[in-house]
Amino acid sequence: MQEQHPAHSLAFLEDAEHGLRVPVTEIALDDSPNGQPNAPLRVYRTAGPGSDPVVGLPAYRASWIAERDDTEAYEGRERNLLDDGRSAVRRGAASAEWKGAKPVPRRAKDGRRVTQMHYARQGVITPEMRYVALRESCDVELVRSEVAAGRAIIPNNINHPESEPMIIGKAFLVKINANIGNSAVTSSIAEEVDKLQWATKWGADTVMDLSTGDDIHTTREWIIRNSPVPIGTVPIYQALEKVNGDASKLTWEIFRDTVIEQCEQGVDYMTIHAGVLLRYVPLTANRVTGIVSRGGSIMAGWCLAHHEENFLYTHFDELCEIFAQYDVAFSLGDGLRPGSTADANDAAQFAELDTLAELTKRAWTYDVQVMVEGPGHIPFHLVRENVERQQELCDGAPFYTLGPLVTDVAPGYDHITSAIGATEIARYGTAMLCYVTPKEHLGLPNKDDVKTGVITYKIAAHSADLAKGHPGAHERDDALSKARFEFRWKDQFSLSLDPATAEAFHDETLPAEPAKTAHFCSMCGPKFCSMRISQDIRNEFGSKEAQEAIVEVTEGMKQKSAEFLAQGGKVYLPETISVGSPE
Amino acid sequence: MQEQHPAHSLAFLEDAEHGLRVPVTEIALDDSPNGQPNAPLRVYRTAGPGSDPVVGLPAYRASWIAERDDTEAYEGRERNLLDDGRSAVRRGAASAEWKGAKPVPRRAKDGRRVTQMHYARQGVITPEMRYVALRESCDVELVRSEVAAGRAIIPNNINHPESEPMIIGKAFLVKINANIGNSAVTSSIAEEVDKLQWATKWGADTVMDLSTGDDIHTTREWIIRNSPVPIGTVPIYQALEKVNGDASKLTWEIFRDTVIEQCEQGVDYMTIHAGVLLRYVPLTANRVTGIVSRGGSIMAGWCLAHHEENFLYTHFDELCEIFAQYDVAFSLGDGLRPGSTADANDAAQFAELDTLAELTKRAWTYDVQVMVEGPGHIPFHLVRENVERQQELCDGAPFYTLGPLVTDVAPGYDHITSAIGATEIARYGTAMLCYVTPKEHLGLPNKDDVKTGVITYKIAAHSADLAKGHPGAHERDDALSKARFEFRWKDQFSLSLDPATAEAFHDETLPAEPAKTAHFCSMCGPKFCSMRISQDIRNEFGSKEAQEAIVEVTEGMKQKSAEFLAQGGKVYLPETISVGSPE
């Protein structure tokens, strides 16, 4: 796995007592000009140990799961070519078949629940919780109590032992998700695995595979086996493929079968659009943009075609029973989210939220972990209400929002329009932000778009951490600012979220290597740099003595200024104004 | 002047009674699929009529100024080669000398004040005010009263008659400024004029020429003669060049001479760092990033070198007298603004703001228009305090902020980190936002960076207009959203802030021309599109009858759901859970 920068290296936070090591990225720093050394900075790392795509990652958590002795291996659901789509059936095989070791699926022993929430509620502290506490530099009891209360989730399916545990909840660092996945019109399995590794390299905390094209099952297998972060999906997409894209042909049985298929593969959380109730659908008929969630529109179509209630709602308890066997977390989908600022915070959106709150509490009775999805497109002044309402109705269950975009007028720049709303909604308690790329509304993101989306959302998430006063969040800002003030250009680059881009931009104006240590920046040129002047001021006048001297000198001036204030505006009358001479 | 898109055309808002025409961009729209026509949308336009760089623009406002009969032409300050820098003196000429018509400078007749604030306070409604009212679609009395109260400014030097009047104030549309200008290390006069036209084409409401290299005077001449928008400068930069870059050699006389030179050229507003008082300087000595404003550090350096009070402060009344003769507006510089989130809202910053408030009121006694500059680098949760404090202390004088950046960790992406803060600060009343480009902190912006900065700031400004509920602000969003829902791809592109980029991104995934009218988007592929499904729903079930039918059907379900709610969580006890079978 190539490092992001020569000054970056892999280091570990150690919990020797429990034999845990959490990888972090260590950023080496130069000494200050005055000779003072600068301690290396350690930052949160999502890239994982790196893997050969055709081999996959080691089963990092396998022993933890085994030691709990509450799961059993079993012969998984029978292979079904249709899982890979109609073309796979035609070919009699999926293309790019997964060649790596295929783990035997596990599930809970009869009557057991194997969710982190279940353990937390029993007062059990799991290795996953200790790992998370080390990673977040917080007390493990905070992790346990937040998970027990449903205010945080640790998504890790027992069939995805390759993942490094992470936590999603407002008491912890704000997380970001990157969406990848092919569609009927484009892209290959290799590309998707490449996007996965690219996204986690730049800082994606979770990745959702939204594939809707060919080889859906096999693409997911490649992704999960190579993913150090939790993987989320929207099973209805695959289920729809199994009925040839005809929403009206969907059945609970087909959907359940698809969910179990994905549970056995190791999907860590699934978006379930169980809040789209038949009676809510008419509330969207007169919107500017109707229903824009794919899952939401599929279920709305089904409800209306059958004039029956959403089968995801009527079978929700069975879903809870299944999820409890694998520790799959719900991501309760907001199928009726607004698709334009005009439709924000309307009756349809909030009616669904009421139902998502009901379902959250129902899932908790099964000890199943839950997060709730949020919009979407919301004007800036209405953003805050979304998270505060969700937190109140859902008793603090983690909120997971897409943006929101605060204007609709900038397709091509929606990573920016949405990062503005994302920072605002995260500031008030949203736990995870789903990234938006520059291609949103226009096309499928390529590798560059994925990077731009991830970096933009790291900015939003980190800015929200700063605004929340999250412990230690400011350390990277302060280290970079100090490097900037001291003209340690290389440190400025290596401390930035995207060192290569920062350095490339610098070099466009001042290519020469010496310039990287020069005491001026290209904005002002050699002899005209505010930071240099400012540094001279500090050197020359920063001492206590000098400061006292200045204050002395200025005593008289305060007088004068006081007079100015007193006279302010009274001295000069219009008729007495004389024209200053140009000479 | 090339249009931004084939569907865009130049149109005019007419005030026949007063013979005024305000240019707007008219965006032609296709009919909806149901055959309903969509009226063309008219949007605010900053591009001006366009000019041949070597000829310049017509003196649009000359007759308005002449008719007031309160100004006189005079023989301007003598040409001084040093105005163009030492290399011009060496060469005996400025390179790329301005060849277009050189207007004879005008100034107020003896004892007269020719500022829009003066007229407004006298109850006079000027053509400039009518033009602005037409442009903002508001009542002219709102314009007059806000200018009279100092809550808004119409920056237009009588020696820049080429400009199209615009207004900066919180009661009006949020404006954005783009910085251009050469430095000792790079770029030519032609490039800067090109950047000016490029910036106004994409939506810059004002442009600041921050040139610090060669040919400063001549570069500015080219820029002003070609600018349809107000031009701002920081005169201390040029003054410093005249003393060979040695701040300690600056004098009031050299500075005043430079200011008058720029007044005669037609600069519309000038940044004056008169709030950097000697006694405030020590407050910055222990900051993480000291003083980062160039003007601020120059003045701090001067104060400390001489142990005297800032000559911009002690001579402020003379500056007011000069500005009143040309209608130049103050942009009171925040020379002590924080250069890092660590230094935000500190004693130095707020001490200077107190002095800027004092100077604002003093300038008003001369009827001189004033805006106040703001930071900078501010964590998101501290942004609001900045604008509310400024508005209170400065009696509502327009606030003009740079960003602010809400984190320091993303050099290369500071257009984004700052647009987040800019949206927040504009939402609470900041009147103009100074753009930040991706090159901020790293290098000089090229043409692409200028465009990216402008578009990003149009997003921030427009999002704030939406959040403020500014009348009509949502029309463009709604028109684009409707086009999106109806798969009018071409309208979606032409309604966007950057049509070419939106169309290019779309074509990357779906190049074929037919795809632009296809009823699906590339994200989902042909048969799998939420918007198509949603539109089918509307067609099939959107009618009143259908809606009633659905409600009927669901009456029974409400019952069932009520039971679910009542039983919620009580039905299933852990020991009774059975494992759902995979088959």
PDB file of all heavy atoms in Angstrom, chain A residues 30 44 138 184 191 202 272 387 474 487 520 578:
ATOM      1  N   ASP A  30       9.797  18.603  10.568  1.00  0.00           N
ATOM      2  CA  ASP A  30      11.130  19.208  10.707  1.00  0.00           C
ATOM      3  C   ASP A  30      11.199  20.028  11.997  1.00  0.00           C
ATOM      4  O   ASP A  30      10.172  20.341  12.606  1.00  0.00           O
ATOM      5  CB  ASP A  30      11.422  20.143   9.513  1.00  0.00           C
ATOM      6  CG  ASP A  30      11.544  19.365   8.197  1.00  0.00           C
ATOM      7  OD1 ASP A  30      11.834  18.153   8.256  1.00  0.00           O
ATOM      8  OD2 ASP A  30      11.321  19.980   7.140  1.00  0.00           O
ATOM      9  N   TYR A  44      -5.634   9.696  12.677  1.00  0.00           N
ATOM     10  CA  TYR A  44      -6.557   8.576  12.433  1.00  0.00           C
ATOM     11  C   TYR A  44      -6.311   8.009  11.032  1.00  0.00           C
ATOM     12  O   TYR A  44      -6.110   8.748  10.077  1.00  0.00           O
ATOM     13  CB  TYR A  44      -7.978   9.116  12.543  1.00  0.00           C
ATOM     14  CG  TYR A  44      -9.069   8.075  12.712  1.00  0.00           C
ATOM     15  CD1 TYR A  44      -9.615   7.818  13.968  1.00  0.00           C
ATOM     16  CD2 TYR A  44      -9.596   7.406  11.616  1.00  0.00           C
ATOM     17  CE1 TYR A  44     -10.654   6.897  14.117  1.00  0.00           C
ATOM     18  CE2 TYR A  44     -10.619   6.478  11.759  1.00  0.00           C
ATOM     19  CZ  TYR A  44     -11.144   6.233  13.017  1.00  0.00           C
ATOM     20  OH  TYR A  44     -12.171   5.319  13.161  1.00  0.00           O
ATOM     21  N   CYS A 138     -10.436   7.453  23.712  1.00  0.00           N
ATOM     22  CA  CYS A 138     -11.439   7.739  24.747  1.00  0.00           C
ATOM     23  C   CYS A 138     -11.561   6.535  25.681  1.00  0.00           C
ATOM     24  O   CYS A 138     -10.960   5.486  25.443  1.00  0.00           O
ATOM     25  CB  CYS A 138     -12.800   8.038  24.107  1.00  0.00           C
ATOM     26  SG  CYS A 138     -13.570   6.594  23.339  1.00  0.00           S
ATOM     27  N   ALA A 184     -25.583  -0.413 -14.754  1.00  0.00           N
ATOM     28  CA  ALA A 184     -25.775  -1.129 -16.027  1.00  0.00           C
ATOM     29  C   ALA A 184     -24.947  -0.491 -17.134  1.00  0.00           C
ATOM     30  O   ALA A 184     -24.593  -1.135 -18.105  1.00  0.00           O
ATOM     31  CB  ALA A 184     -27.243  -1.118 -16.405  1.00  0.00           C
ATOM     32  N   GLU A 191     -12.145  -2.209 -11.165  1.00  0.00           N
ATOM     33  CA  GLU A 191     -12.280  -0.761 -10.933  1.00  0.00           C
ATOM     34  C   GLU A 191     -12.901  -0.481  -9.572  1.00  0.00           C
ATOM     35  O   GLU A 191     -12.497   0.447  -8.869  1.00  0.00           O
ATOM     36  CB  GLU A 191     -13.188  -0.130 -11.996  1.00  0.00           C
ATOM     37  CG  GLU A 191     -12.531   0.202 -13.319  1.00  0.00           C
ATOM     38  CD  GLU A 191     -13.570   0.726 -14.311  1.00  0.00           C
ATOM     39  OE1 GLU A 191     -14.176   1.772 -14.018  1.00  0.00           O
ATOM     40  OE2 GLU A 191     -13.802   0.052 -15.336  1.00  0.00           O
ATOM     41  N   TRP A 202      -7.726   7.703   1.256  1.00  0.00           N
ATOM     42  CA  TRP A 202      -7.909   9.141   1.482  1.00  0.00           C
ATOM     43  C   TRP A 202      -8.749   9.438   2.712  1.00  0.00           C
ATOM     44  O   TRP A 202      -8.852  10.605   3.109  1.00  0.00           O
ATOM     45  CB  TRP A 202      -8.487   9.803   0.234  1.00  0.00           C
ATOM     46  CG  TRP A 202      -7.481   9.810  -0.876  1.00  0.00           C
ATOM     47  CD1 TRP A 202      -7.506   9.058  -2.015  1.00  0.00           C
ATOM     48  CD2 TRP A 202      -6.264  10.570  -0.926  1.00  0.00           C
ATOM     49  NE1 TRP A 202      -6.383   9.302  -2.764  1.00  0.00           N
ATOM     50  CE2 TRP A 202      -5.607  10.225  -2.130  1.00  0.00           C
ATOM     51  CE3 TRP A 202      -5.661  11.502  -0.063  1.00  0.00           C
ATOM     52  CZ2 TRP A 202      -4.375  10.783  -2.490  1.00  0.00           C
ATOM     53  CZ3 TRP A 202      -4.447  12.057  -0.436  1.00  0.00           C
ATOM     54  CH2 TRP A 202      -3.814  11.686  -1.637  1.00  0.00           C
ATOM     55  N   ILE A 272     -32.412  -0.047   4.569  1.00  0.00           N
ATOM     56  CA  ILE A 272     -33.726  -0.671   4.451  1.00  0.00           C
ATOM     57  C   ILE A 272     -34.782   0.437   4.426  1.00  0.00           C
ATOM     58  O   ILE A 272     -34.876   1.216   5.372  1.00  0.00           O
ATOM     59  CB  ILE A 272     -33.987  -1.613   5.661  1.00  0.00           C
ATOM     60  CG1 ILE A 272     -32.883  -2.675   5.764  1.00  0.00           C
ATOM     61  CG2 ILE A 272     -35.373  -2.246   5.558  1.00  0.00           C
ATOM     62  CD1 ILE A 272     -32.848  -3.683   4.638  1.00  0.00           C
ATOM     63  N   VAL A 387     -31.486  17.467  12.071  1.00  0.00           N
ATOM     64  CA  VAL A 387     -30.753  16.610  13.006  1.00  0.00           C
ATOM     65  C   VAL A 387     -31.360  16.697  14.409  1.00  0.00           C
ATOM     66  O   VAL A 387     -31.489  15.675  15.105  1.00  0.00           O
ATOM     67  CB  VAL A 387     -29.243  16.939  13.022  1.00  0.00           C
ATOM     68  CG1 VAL A 387     -28.982  18.401  13.344  1.00  0.00           C
ATOM     69  CG2 VAL A 387     -28.504  16.024  13.981  1.00  0.00           C
ATOM     70  N   HIS A 474      -8.109  19.901  17.185  1.00  0.00           N
ATOM     71  CA  HIS A 474      -7.395  21.084  16.678  1.00  0.00           C
ATOM     72  C   HIS A 474      -5.897  20.852  16.495  1.00  0.00           C
ATOM     73  O   HIS A 474      -5.201  21.698  15.938  1.00  0.00           O
ATOM     74  CB  HIS A 474      -7.605  22.255  17.642  1.00  0.00           C
ATOM     75  CG  HIS A 474      -7.076  21.972  19.020  1.00  0.00           C
ATOM     76  ND1 HIS A 474      -5.786  22.262  19.385  1.00  0.00           N
ATOM     77  CD2 HIS A 474      -7.656  21.366  20.085  1.00  0.00           C
ATOM     78  CE1 HIS A 474      -5.597  21.875  20.650  1.00  0.00           C
ATOM     79  NE2 HIS A 474      -6.714  21.321  21.089  1.00  0.00           N
ATOM     80  N   PHE A 487       7.303  28.944   7.827  1.00  0.00           N
ATOM     81  CA  PHE A 487       7.764  28.649   6.461  1.00  0.00           C
ATOM     82  C   PHE A 487       8.337  27.258   6.328  1.00  0.00           C
ATOM     83  O   PHE A 487       9.199  27.008   5.500  1.00  0.00           O
ATOM     84  CB  PHE A 487       8.789  29.699   6.007  1.00  0.00           C
ATOM     85  CG  PHE A 487       8.203  31.071   5.978  1.00  0.00           C
ATOM     86  CD1 PHE A 487       8.382  31.922   7.053  1.00  0.00           C
ATOM     87  CD2 PHE A 487       7.427  31.494   4.916  1.00  0.00           C
ATOM     88  CE1 PHE A 487       7.803  33.178   7.054  1.00  0.00           C
ATOM     89  CE2 PHE A 487       6.859  32.749   4.913  1.00  0.00           C
ATOM     90  CZ  PHE A 487       7.044  33.596   5.978  1.00  0.00           C
ATOM     91  N   PHE A 520       9.467  33.154   2.254  1.00  0.00           N
ATOM     92  CA  PHE A 520       8.420  33.999   1.673  1.00  0.00           C
ATOM     93  C   PHE A 520       7.503  33.075   0.885  1.00  0.00           C
ATOM     94  O   PHE A 520       7.857  31.953   0.571  1.00  0.00           O
ATOM     95  CB  PHE A 520       9.011  35.071   0.751  1.00  0.00           C
ATOM     96  CG  PHE A 520       9.758  34.514  -0.414  1.00  0.00           C
ATOM     97  CD1 PHE A 520       9.088  34.157  -1.582  1.00  0.00           C
ATOM     98  CD2 PHE A 520      11.127  34.304  -0.342  1.00  0.00           C
ATOM     99  CE1 PHE A 520       9.776  33.629  -2.652  1.00  0.00           C
ATOM    100  CE2 PHE A 520      11.815  33.762  -1.420  1.00  0.00           C
ATOM    101  CZ  PHE A 520      11.148  33.436  -2.578  1.00  0.00           C
ATOM    102  N   SER A 578     -11.745  71.592   3.198  1.00  0.00           N
ATOM    103  CA  SER A 578     -10.887  72.110   2.118  1.00  0.00           C
ATOM    104  C   SER A 578     -10.395  70.930   1.296  1.00  0.00           C
ATOM    105  O   SER A 578     -10.303  69.806   1.792  1.00  0.00           O
ATOM    106  CB  SER A 578      -9.685  72.831   2.723  1.00  0.00           C
ATOM    107  OG  SER A 578      -8.851  71.871   3.339  1.00  0.00           O
TER     108      SER A 578
END
